[in-house]
Amino acid sequence: MPLQLYYAPGACSFVPHAALELAGAEFEPVLVKLHKGEQRSAAFLALNPRGQVPVLVDEGAAITQIVAIGLHLDARFPDAQLLPARGLARTRALEWLAWMNNTVHPTFTHVFMPAKFTDDVAAQASVKAHALVRYRELLGELEAAVAARSGPWLGGASPGLLDAYALTLLRWGGFAGIDPTTLPQTWALAQAFAALPAVARAVQRERLQLNVYAPAAA
Protein backbone atom coordinates (compact mmCIF):
# COMPACT_ATOMS: atom_id res chain seq x y z
CA MET A 1 0.00 0.00 0.00
CA PRO A 2 1.59 3.32 -1.05
CA LEU A 3 0.34 5.40 1.90
CA GLN A 4 0.62 4.82 5.62
CA LEU A 5 -0.43 7.23 8.36
CA TYR A 6 1.04 6.84 11.82
CA TYR A 7 -1.46 8.41 14.20
CA ALA A 8 -2.46 8.59 17.85
CA PRO A 9 -6.12 8.96 18.85
CA GLY A 10 -7.02 12.55 19.64
CA ALA A 11 -3.63 13.93 18.67
CA CYS A 12 -3.01 16.45 15.90
CA SER A 13 -2.62 13.47 13.58
CA PHE A 14 -6.41 13.65 13.29
CA VAL A 15 -5.86 16.44 10.74
CA PRO A 16 -4.21 14.26 8.06
CA HIS A 17 -6.33 11.30 9.17
CA ALA A 18 -9.52 13.19 8.32
CA ALA A 19 -7.92 14.59 5.16
CA LEU A 20 -7.05 11.14 3.85
CA GLU A 21 -10.62 9.99 4.42
CA LEU A 22 -12.02 13.11 2.74
CA ALA A 23 -9.77 12.46 -0.24
CA GLY A 24 -10.99 8.88 -0.52
CA ALA A 25 -7.38 7.77 -0.36
CA GLU A 26 -6.33 4.17 0.04
CA PHE A 27 -4.09 4.16 3.09
CA GLU A 28 -3.03 2.05 6.03
CA PRO A 29 -3.72 3.65 9.43
CA VAL A 30 -0.99 2.67 11.89
CA LEU A 31 -1.87 3.24 15.54
CA VAL A 32 0.92 4.61 17.75
CA LYS A 33 0.16 4.16 21.46
CA LEU A 34 1.73 7.24 23.01
CA HIS A 35 0.80 6.19 26.56
CA LYS A 36 2.89 3.06 26.04
CA GLY A 37 5.84 5.00 24.65
CA GLU A 38 5.64 3.47 21.17
CA GLN A 39 6.74 6.81 19.71
CA ARG A 40 10.12 6.18 21.35
CA SER A 41 10.60 2.73 19.85
CA ALA A 42 13.53 2.17 17.52
CA ALA A 43 11.18 1.36 14.64
CA PHE A 44 9.24 4.60 15.02
CA LEU A 45 12.32 6.76 15.60
CA ALA A 46 13.68 5.42 12.32
CA LEU A 47 10.70 7.12 10.66
CA ASN A 48 10.71 10.28 12.79
CA PRO A 49 13.71 10.85 15.07
CA ARG A 50 11.67 13.49 16.93
CA GLY A 51 9.33 10.77 18.17
CA GLN A 52 6.14 12.59 17.18
CA VAL A 53 2.97 11.82 15.28
CA PRO A 54 1.80 12.23 12.63
CA VAL A 55 4.07 10.56 10.13
CA LEU A 56 2.88 10.00 6.58
CA VAL A 57 4.76 7.42 4.56
CA ASP A 58 4.29 7.82 0.82
CA GLU A 59 5.99 5.18 -1.30
CA GLY A 60 8.64 4.66 1.35
CA ALA A 61 9.31 8.34 2.07
CA ALA A 62 8.46 9.49 5.60
CA ILE A 63 6.95 12.97 5.88
CA THR A 64 6.51 14.75 9.22
CA GLN A 65 4.94 17.99 10.45
CA ILE A 66 1.28 18.88 9.97
CA VAL A 67 1.75 21.70 7.46
CA ALA A 68 4.11 19.66 5.28
CA ILE A 69 1.84 16.62 5.37
CA GLY A 70 -1.23 18.74 4.66
CA LEU A 71 0.36 20.42 1.66
CA HIS A 72 1.60 17.05 0.38
CA LEU A 73 -1.90 15.57 0.58
CA ASP A 74 -3.42 18.65 -1.03
CA ALA A 75 -1.02 18.30 -3.97
CA ARG A 76 -1.48 14.54 -4.20
CA PHE A 77 -5.30 14.69 -4.11
CA PRO A 78 -6.23 18.01 -5.75
CA ASP A 79 -9.80 16.92 -6.46
CA ALA A 80 -10.46 16.67 -2.72
CA GLN A 81 -9.97 20.45 -2.36
CA LEU A 82 -8.42 20.11 1.08
CA LEU A 83 -7.28 23.72 0.63
CA PRO A 84 -8.43 26.37 -1.83
CA ALA A 85 -6.65 25.80 -5.12
CA ARG A 86 -5.30 29.24 -5.89
CA GLY A 87 -5.29 32.97 -5.36
CA LEU A 88 -5.89 34.96 -2.22
CA ALA A 89 -8.27 32.32 -0.86
CA ARG A 90 -5.40 29.82 -0.79
CA THR A 91 -3.07 32.36 0.79
CA ARG A 92 -5.58 33.14 3.53
CA ALA A 93 -6.14 29.43 4.19
CA LEU A 94 -2.40 28.90 4.53
CA GLU A 95 -2.27 31.84 6.95
CA TRP A 96 -4.85 30.15 9.16
CA LEU A 97 -3.20 26.73 8.87
CA ALA A 98 0.17 28.19 9.89
CA TRP A 99 -1.42 30.10 12.79
CA MET A 100 -3.17 27.00 14.09
CA ASN A 101 0.06 25.04 13.89
CA ASN A 102 2.62 27.56 15.14
CA THR A 103 0.55 29.55 17.66
CA VAL A 104 -2.57 27.78 18.93
CA HIS A 105 -1.14 24.26 18.98
CA PRO A 106 2.05 25.07 20.95
CA THR A 107 0.05 27.16 23.40
CA PHE A 108 -1.96 24.06 24.26
CA THR A 109 1.29 22.14 24.67
CA HIS A 110 2.21 24.61 27.41
CA VAL A 111 -1.13 23.86 29.09
CA PHE A 112 -1.02 20.10 28.74
CA MET A 113 2.71 19.43 29.14
CA PRO A 114 4.29 22.30 31.08
CA ALA A 115 7.09 19.97 32.20
CA LYS A 116 8.47 20.19 28.67
CA PHE A 117 9.37 23.82 29.35
CA THR A 118 10.70 23.78 32.92
CA ASP A 119 11.66 21.20 35.52
CA ASP A 120 10.62 23.53 38.34
CA VAL A 121 7.28 22.27 39.68
CA ALA A 122 6.14 25.69 40.85
CA ALA A 123 7.10 27.22 37.53
CA GLN A 124 5.16 24.51 35.71
CA ALA A 125 1.98 25.62 37.46
CA SER A 126 2.65 29.19 36.39
CA VAL A 127 3.37 28.16 32.79
CA LYS A 128 0.13 26.16 32.66
CA ALA A 129 -1.99 28.93 34.16
CA HIS A 130 -0.60 31.59 31.85
CA ALA A 131 -0.94 29.38 28.76
CA LEU A 132 -4.54 28.50 29.63
CA VAL A 133 -5.54 32.17 29.64
CA ARG A 134 -3.84 32.59 26.29
CA TYR A 135 -5.44 29.44 24.87
CA ARG A 136 -8.90 30.75 25.73
CA GLU A 137 -8.04 33.97 23.87
CA LEU A 138 -6.83 32.06 20.83
CA LEU A 139 -9.97 29.93 20.70
CA GLY A 140 -11.86 33.24 20.76
CA GLU A 141 -9.92 34.30 17.66
CA LEU A 142 -10.83 31.01 16.03
CA GLU A 143 -14.48 31.53 16.93
CA ALA A 144 -14.43 34.94 15.24
CA ALA A 145 -12.83 33.45 12.13
CA VAL A 146 -15.44 30.71 11.94
CA ALA A 147 -18.23 33.27 12.33
CA ALA A 148 -16.76 35.42 9.54
CA ARG A 149 -16.14 32.60 7.05
CA SER A 150 -17.48 33.11 3.54
CA GLY A 151 -18.65 29.55 2.93
CA PRO A 152 -19.91 26.54 4.83
CA TRP A 153 -16.36 25.53 5.76
CA LEU A 154 -13.28 27.40 6.89
CA GLY A 155 -11.63 26.98 3.50
CA GLY A 156 -14.77 27.94 1.59
CA ALA A 157 -16.98 25.51 -0.26
CA SER A 158 -15.20 22.26 0.64
CA PRO A 159 -14.35 20.69 4.00
CA GLY A 160 -10.65 20.27 4.54
CA LEU A 161 -7.55 20.75 6.63
CA LEU A 162 -8.66 23.90 8.44
CA ASP A 163 -11.87 22.31 9.65
CA ALA A 164 -10.01 19.23 10.90
CA TYR A 165 -7.54 21.39 12.81
CA ALA A 166 -10.31 23.59 14.23
CA LEU A 167 -12.11 20.50 15.54
CA THR A 168 -8.88 19.24 17.11
CA LEU A 169 -8.04 22.53 18.83
CA LEU A 170 -11.58 22.99 20.13
CA ARG A 171 -11.68 19.42 21.44
CA TRP A 172 -8.37 19.93 23.27
CA GLY A 173 -9.93 22.94 24.97
CA GLY A 174 -12.24 20.54 26.80
CA PHE A 175 -9.22 18.93 28.46
CA ALA A 176 -8.14 22.42 29.55
CA GLY A 177 -11.52 23.13 31.14
CA ILE A 178 -12.99 25.12 28.26
CA ASP A 179 -16.57 24.17 27.44
CA PRO A 180 -16.76 23.95 23.62
CA THR A 181 -20.40 25.00 23.64
CA THR A 182 -19.28 28.44 24.84
CA LEU A 183 -17.78 28.81 21.34
CA PRO A 184 -21.01 28.08 19.47
CA GLN A 185 -19.84 28.81 15.93
CA THR A 186 -16.78 26.58 16.21
CA TRP A 187 -18.74 23.91 18.06
CA ALA A 188 -21.36 23.82 15.30
CA LEU A 189 -18.62 23.60 12.66
CA ALA A 190 -16.88 20.76 14.51
CA GLN A 191 -20.12 18.81 14.84
CA ALA A 192 -20.98 19.28 11.17
CA PHE A 193 -17.48 18.27 10.11
CA ALA A 194 -17.43 15.18 12.32
CA ALA A 195 -20.80 14.12 10.90
CA LEU A 196 -19.51 13.92 7.33
CA PRO A 197 -19.36 10.21 6.42
CA ALA A 198 -15.67 10.36 5.47
CA VAL A 199 -14.68 12.21 8.64
CA ALA A 200 -16.91 9.97 10.75
CA ARG A 201 -14.71 7.04 9.73
CA ALA A 202 -11.67 8.76 11.23
CA VAL A 203 -13.64 9.75 14.34
CA GLN A 204 -14.83 6.18 14.80
CA ARG A 205 -11.36 4.71 14.21
CA GLU A 206 -9.91 7.03 16.85
CA ARG A 207 -12.94 6.53 19.12
CA LEU A 208 -13.13 10.26 19.67
CA GLN A 209 -15.58 11.99 21.94
CA LEU A 210 -16.01 15.52 20.61
CA ASN A 211 -16.92 17.15 23.90
CA VAL A 212 -14.54 16.05 26.65
CA TYR A 213 -15.27 19.02 28.91
CA ALA A 214 -16.09 18.11 32.49
CA PRO A 215 -17.19 20.90 34.85
CA ALA A 216 -15.09 21.25 37.96
CA ALA A 217 -16.62 19.72 41.05
CA ALA A 218 -18.26 22.24 43.37
Side-chain angles (χ1 to χ4, degrees):
M1 189 173 292
L3 288 172
Q4 292 177 305
L5 178 70
Y6 289 77
Y7 76 98
C12 62
S13 50
F14 177 78
V15 178
H17 193 176
L20 283 161
E21 291 288 3
L22 284 168
E26 184 181 0
F27 72 101
E28 178 188 357
V30 183
L31 174 63
V32 180
K33 297 176 181 177
L34 301 182
H35 65 287
K36 292 190 175 181
E38 291 180 354
Q39 73 277 21
R40 296 188 292 273
S41 69
F44 188 80
L45 291 174
L47 291 172
N48 184 1
R50 298 186 182 97
Q52 299 172 330
V53 293
V55 176
L56 179 74
V57 178
D58 189 349
E59 297 184 353
I63 304 165
T64 66
Q65 302 298 316
I66 288 285
V67 173
I69 293 172
L71 289 173
H72 184 80
L73 292 177
D74 181 55
R76 205 179 191 283
F77 302 103
D79 291 345
Q81 299 179 358
L82 298 173
L83 288 166
R86 61 185 64 84
L88 186 60
R90 183 175 180 83
T91 300
R92 294 301 187 212
L94 291 174
E95 279 184 337
W96 283 109
L97 182 63
W99 175 77
M100 290 176 179
N101 187 241
N102 67 28
T103 301
V104 192
H105 187 154
T107 300
F108 181 75
T109 305
H110 283 72
V111 175
F112 199 60
M113 293 184 285
K116 291 187 69 171
F117 306 98
T118 177
D119 59 4
D120 184 297
V121 175
Q124 288 171 16
S126 179
V127 166
K128 180 175 181 176
H130 180 78
L132 178 55
V133 171
R134 182 64 180 138
Y135 196 69
R136 289 179 185 273
E137 294 173 349
L138 293 171
L139 287 185
E141 285 189 50
L142 179 59
E143 174 78 354
V146 174
R149 69 191 188 277
S150 58
W153 306 103
L154 272 175
S158 300
L161 296 168
L162 297 183
D163 309 291
Y165 221 150
L167 181 154
T168 300
L169 297 171
L170 181 68
R171 183 175 177 276
W172 287 352
F175 291 113
I178 301 171
D179 183 350
T181 65
T182 62
L183 300 149
Q185 296 287 336
T186 312
W187 177 233
L189 178 79
Q191 290 179 291
F193 185 70
L196 295 171
V199 179
R201 288 194 292 271
V203 170
Q204 183 176 18
R205 186 177 292 121
E206 298 196 17
R207 299 181 180 179
L208 294 187
Q209 177 183 338
L210 287 189
N211 188 346
V212 296
Y213 169 73

